């Protein structure tokens, strides 16, 4: 029976004794062993009475078992819904409820907190820990290491990835098998991945970058990954000699450059360095080339679209640009007010269309209609231009987004929480330059007349409600927010005033 996602990424490796994951302890997991683990998990999932199309919400640490759970969901026709390990219980409550997940898989340390939430949804809960232990693997180990993939078509949904929104409510981006496959297969060709590649993988696997870009590309090409639990400079330097390629967010590159042990010699044998998820400063690009001789290949993508553009493998990788639209992706720059295409070179809204573009936001038809045009073009919210040679430049964001170390943060979500705090009349949250994370979160509070907000207590409150990476690194109290004549808060003015706060 056919199941394109499983067949083309995983099934092609059936029985192969070639390495797939090189683990931190020196062990290697072969493709065959990985597929057996996935099949056992798929048997365990169907044993939990899950039906094709059901959502499986997964908040677990990075491990081979966590990756096998993704493969198992593909095989069993379930919708994989990975969640950032930094999310707090109150954030998770929303995702589980909104997606109506049928199964929640979490670390044992979060089981007690999540059980009432799962129960309220009549969802099951299983545990999977960083070391591969937990109730889900216990079930899986008692299962057969073979599973007949559930029949699926390319148009069936394969994953939901939640992305924050301008209104503060996260939206579940629905991705089909075709969305994932088309992008993975295009990138293998564009970036020349082969079975001989060994990718240094230190990204989290709950976002597009680490899961669909890095992992799917390696799967589709038959290569292997040095699978590190997180970015640790010592591990990166130690393992780089065994790798051929690396994908990372700009923070990876600035951290490597910040260490004298990262020498040209250490990187010389590498085939390819790729950057994305946030703007790579042209200066970082240049320093990296001066140190290693390599020009970083920068590409541009989104949760809703996977990858849209890439600098060329052969040809000039132009610093400060995100390269050309991928072969099957159409990209246009439009007038943000009218949607009319603009002449080449002019700055406007970037819109994209192609097999990579998602199906819409789960149960949010109005939000979908606002961003996904009927003709299939997705309004990215990024402002850019196409230069005379066809390179795409991202020059800013129409959306009020902060990107910190590659994680997206929508100010609205934090502002809603700050506005609710005692003594606060209103707030504004902005991103300001940060040497390590690129940008970081700054909160500005306007007190209610005659009141003095307790800044420490408010910071503490953000800590219980919001994931760590969203916490304002500082709160500033101001008498009034700058506003334009329309009454809109002038965040640009605030960003200008506080731009040197962390640099
Ligand atoms: C960790 N912290 C952060 C971040 N990460 N704070 C702000 N922004 C972050 N990104 C917190 C930690 O909890 C810690 O808190 C403190 O900051 C310092 O942590 P540190 O040890 O320095 O951080 P780290 O654990 O080394 O992580 C930094 C990191 C990591 C390596 C940059 O955030 C990372 O792997 N980022 C990649 C994100 C990613 O994959 N994005 C792709 C999204 P405390 O002070 O309490 O100790 S997909 C996407 O964007 C699209 C589709 C695309 O194009 O790819
Ligand atoms: P996400 O919501 O995590 O999918 O993040 C997508 C956003 O990250 C895009 O809309 C861009 O604003 C930003 N982004 C991704 N790659 C790049 C890049 N290479 N340069 C600049 N911004 C990027």
């Amino acid at each position: 029976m056919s199941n394109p996602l499983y067949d083309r990424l995983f099934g092609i490796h059936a029985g192969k004794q070639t390495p797939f994951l090189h683990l931190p302890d020196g062990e290697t997991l072969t493709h065959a062993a990985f597929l057996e683990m996935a099949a056992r998990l798929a048997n365990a999932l169907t044993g939990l009475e899950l039906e094709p199309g059901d959502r499986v919400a997964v908040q677990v640490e990075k491990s081979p078992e966590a990756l096998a759970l993704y493969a198992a969901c593909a095989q069993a026709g379930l919708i994989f819904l990975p969640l950032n390990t930094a999310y707090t219980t109150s954030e998770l409550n929303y995702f589980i409820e909104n997606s109506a997940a049928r199964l929640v898989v979490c670390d044992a340390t979060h089981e007690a907190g999540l059980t009432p939430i799962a129960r309220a949804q009549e969802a099951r809960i299983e545990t999977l820990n960083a070391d591969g232990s937990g109730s889900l693997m216990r079930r899986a180990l008692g299962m057969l290491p073979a599973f007949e993939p559930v029949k699926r078509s390319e148009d069936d949904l394969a994953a939901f990835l939640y992305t924050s929104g301008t209104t503060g409510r996260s939206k579940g981006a629905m991705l089909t098998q075709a969305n994932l496959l088309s992008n993975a297969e295009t990138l293998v060709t564009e970036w020349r991945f082969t079975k001989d590649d060994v990718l240094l993988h230190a990204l989290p696997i709950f976002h597009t970058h680490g899961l669909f870009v890095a992992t799917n590309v390696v799967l589709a090409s038959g290569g292997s990954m040095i699978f590190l639990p997180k970015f640790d400079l010592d591990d990166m330097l130690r393992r780089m000699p065994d790798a051929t390629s690396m994908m990372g967010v700009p923070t990876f590159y600035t951290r490597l450059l910040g260490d004298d042990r990262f020498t040209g010699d250490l990187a010389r044998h590498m085939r390819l360095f790729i950057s994305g998820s946030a703007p790579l400063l042209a200066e970082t690009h240049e320093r990296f080339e001066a140190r290693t001789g390599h020009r970083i290949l920068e590409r541009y993508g989104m949760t809703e679209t996977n990858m849209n553009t890439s600098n060329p493998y052969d040809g000039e990788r132009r610093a400060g640009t995100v390269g050309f639209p991928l072969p099957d992706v159409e990209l246009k720059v439009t007038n943000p007010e009218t949607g009319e295409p603009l002449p080449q070179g002019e700055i406007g809204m970037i819109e994209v269309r192609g097999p990579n573009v998602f199906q819409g936001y789960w149960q949010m038809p109005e939000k979908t209609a606002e961003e996904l045009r009927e003709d299939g073009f997705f309004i990215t919210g990024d402002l850019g231009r196409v230069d005379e040679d066809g390179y795409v430049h991202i020059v800013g964001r129409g959306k009020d987004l902060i990107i910190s170390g590659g994680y997206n943060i929508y100010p609205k979500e934090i502002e809603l929480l700050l506005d609710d705090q005692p003594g606060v009349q209103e707030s504004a949250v902005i991103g300001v330059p940060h040497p390590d994370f690129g940008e970081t979160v700054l909160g500005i509070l306007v007190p209610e007349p005659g009141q003095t907000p307790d800044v420490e207590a408010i910071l503490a409150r953000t800590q219980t409600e919001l994931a760590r990476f969203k916490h304002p690194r500082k709160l500033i109290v101001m008498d009034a927010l700058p506003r334009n004549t329309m009454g809109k808060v002038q965040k640009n003015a605030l960003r200008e005033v506080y731009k040197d706060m962390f640099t």
Side-chain angles (χ1 to χ4, degrees):
M1 256 195 269
S2 114
N3 176 327
L5 185 68
Y6 185 80
D7 298 346
R8 278 152 60 187
L9 291 187
F10 304 99
I12 44 170
H13 305 303
K16 276 193 202 162
Q17 297 303 329
T18 45
F20 174 45
L21 300 180
H22 308 276
L23 302 172
D25 61 5
E27 295 278 303
T28 295
L29 200 65
T30 63
H31 281 102
F34 176 77
L35 291 180
E36 286 186 7
M37 190 192 278
R40 289 181 198 277
L41 278 163
N43 279 310
L45 293 173
T46 38
L48 290 168
E49 293 166 10
L50 297 174
E51 299 288 335
D54 281 349
R55 270 77 61 204
V56 178
V58 180
Q59 191 202 34
V60 299
E61 294 296 335
K62 184 175 174 183
S63 69
E65 289 79 5
L67 202 57
L69 184 54
Y70 162 51
C73 286
Q75 200 167 6
L78 299 165
I79 298 177
F80 189 62
L81 194 176
L83 292 160
N84 194 322
T85 47
Y87 288 145
T88 61
T89 310
S90 91
E91 289 168 315
L92 292 170
N93 191 8
Y94 172 77
F95 299 122
I96 294 168
E97 199 180 282
N98 183 268
S99 65
R102 306 300 316 137
L103 172 67
V104 176
V105 184
C106 66
D107 194 278
T109 52
H110 299 142
E111 189 181 9
L114 289 178
T115 298
I117 297 171
R119 222 169 254 155
Q121 282 302 311
E122 293 177 26
R124 290 176 177 265
I125 186 158
E126 297 285 334
T127 59
L128 175 58
N129 304 318
D131 62 2
S133 63
S135 65
L136 187 63
M137 283 313 288
R138 270 202 303 281
R139 280 181 191 279
L141 290 173
M143 299 286 166
L144 285 175
F147 182 93
E148 177 64 33
V150 169
K151 188 174 181 322
R152 295 266 97 184
S153 86
E154 284 204 2
D155 296 334
D156 282 317
L157 294 176
F160 280 10
L161 253 60
Y162 274 80
T163 121
S164 312
T166 39
T167 55
R169 289 188 71 212
S170 286
K171 303 166 284 184
M174 301 188 285
L175 296 156
T176 60
Q177 291 207 348
N179 293 149
L180 305 184
L181 279 170
S182 62
N183 216 232
E185 289 166 357
T186 298
L187 296 176
V188 169
T189 310
E190 288 298 295
W191 296 341
R192 313 279 196 276
F193 270 80
T194 71
K195 63 178 180 23
D196 298 324
D197 264 294
V198 182
L199 181 81
L200 189 55
H201 191 301
L203 289 159
I205 54 169
F206 43 70
H207 279 315
T208 301
H209 198 164
L211 189 64
F212 300 143
V213 188
T215 304
N216 284 358
V217 163
V218 169
L219 281 165
S221 62
S224 62
M225 300 191 266
I226 300 173
F227 204 59
L228 301 175
K230 65 186 286 266
F231 181 94
D232 175 272
L233 204 40
D234 292 340
D235 287 342
M236 295 297 281
L237 297 171
R238 195 166 50 80
R239 300 305 298 265
M240 195 170 288
D242 305 321
T244 62
S245 45
M246 184 186 111
M247 294 186 196
V249 296
T251 301
F252 282 23
Y253 291 99
T254 49
R255 285 188 181 182
L256 283 170
L257 286 169
D259 194 306
D260 291 339
R261 293 173 297 167
F262 179 62
T263 58
D265 275 350
L266 202 70
R268 196 143 297 135
H269 71 287
M270 291 281 279
R271 180 178 75 78
L272 183 60
F273 288 93
I274 300 177
S275 177
S277 306
L280 183 79
L281 295 178
E283 185 228 340
T284 310
H285 194 281
E286 282 146 20
R287 279 174 59 216
F288 199 86
E289 184 176 17
R291 176 93 60 98
T292 66
H294 286 282
R295 287 180 78 80
I296 298 171
L297 184 154
E298 185 172 7
R299 71 3 170 231
Y300 157 61
M302 300 185 71
T303 301
E304 289 91 335
T305 62
N306 292 327
M307 298 305 102
N308 294 313
T309 73
S310 171
N311 268 281
Y313 188 84
D314 298 316
E316 188 196 350
R317 299 178 194 165
R318 198 170 280 184
T321 83
V322 293
F324 307 112
L326 290 169
D328 44 6
V329 177
E330 291 169 80
L331 182 146
K332 60 181 182 180
V333 175
T334 59
N335 178 323
E337 309 299 327
T338 63
E340 287 304 313
L342 293 170
Q344 188 155 351
E346 285 193 20
I347 294 173
M349 177 63 70
I350 297 178
E351 300 192 23
V352 291
R353 176 165 74 180
N356 54 322
V357 173
F358 76 139
Q359 307 308 301
Y361 298 112
W362 168 248
Q363 291 186 337
M364 291 189 182
E366 312 81 40
K367 292 271 164 219
T368 303
E370 276 169 29
E371 297 181 32
L372 192 56
R373 294 188 192 280
E374 269 177 18
D375 64 3
F377 271 97
F378 177 62
I379 306 168
T380 62
D382 291 312
L383 299 174
R385 71 180 171 89
V386 180
D387 71 19
E388 61 287 1
D389 299 321
Y391 286 83
V392 178
H393 298 237
I394 298 180
V395 298
R397 296 173 206 139
K399 53 195 177 192
D400 199 8
L401 168 72
I402 302 169
I403 305 183
S404 167
Y407 287 143
N408 285 9
I409 303 162
Y410 271 90
K412 193 76 196 167
E413 184 184 2
I414 306 167
E415 286 163 358
L416 289 173
L417 180 68
L418 296 178
D419 292 349
D420 255 4
Q421 303 309 305
V424 176
Q425 186 175 62
E426 63 171 344
S427 65
V429 167
I430 55 171
V432 288
H434 187 274
D436 186 29
F437 292 132
E439 287 181 336
T440 197
V441 180
L442 179 70
I444 295 147
L445 305 175
V446 176
E448 276 172 7
Q451 304 239 11
T452 311
D454 182 343
V455 168
E456 288 309 313
I458 295 174
L459 277 176
R461 186 69 202 284
T462 63
Q463 282 157 20
T464 54
E465 293 296 312
L466 301 171
R468 174 74 182 115
F469 65 90
K470 298 179 193 167
H471 298 170
R473 294 295 151 131
K474 205 172 166 61
L475 287 177
I476 289 172
V477 179
M478 218 184 202
D479 288 340
L481 297 174
R483 289 196 137 85
N484 65 15
T485 46
M486 308 291 288
K488 195 169 180 294
V489 176
Q490 288 177 301
K491 288 201 171 174
N492 279 344
L494 290 172
R495 279 192 282 264
E496 183 55 30
V497 173
Y498 295 111
K499 67 178 191 310
D500 298 325
M501 181 133 235
F502 296 96
T503 54

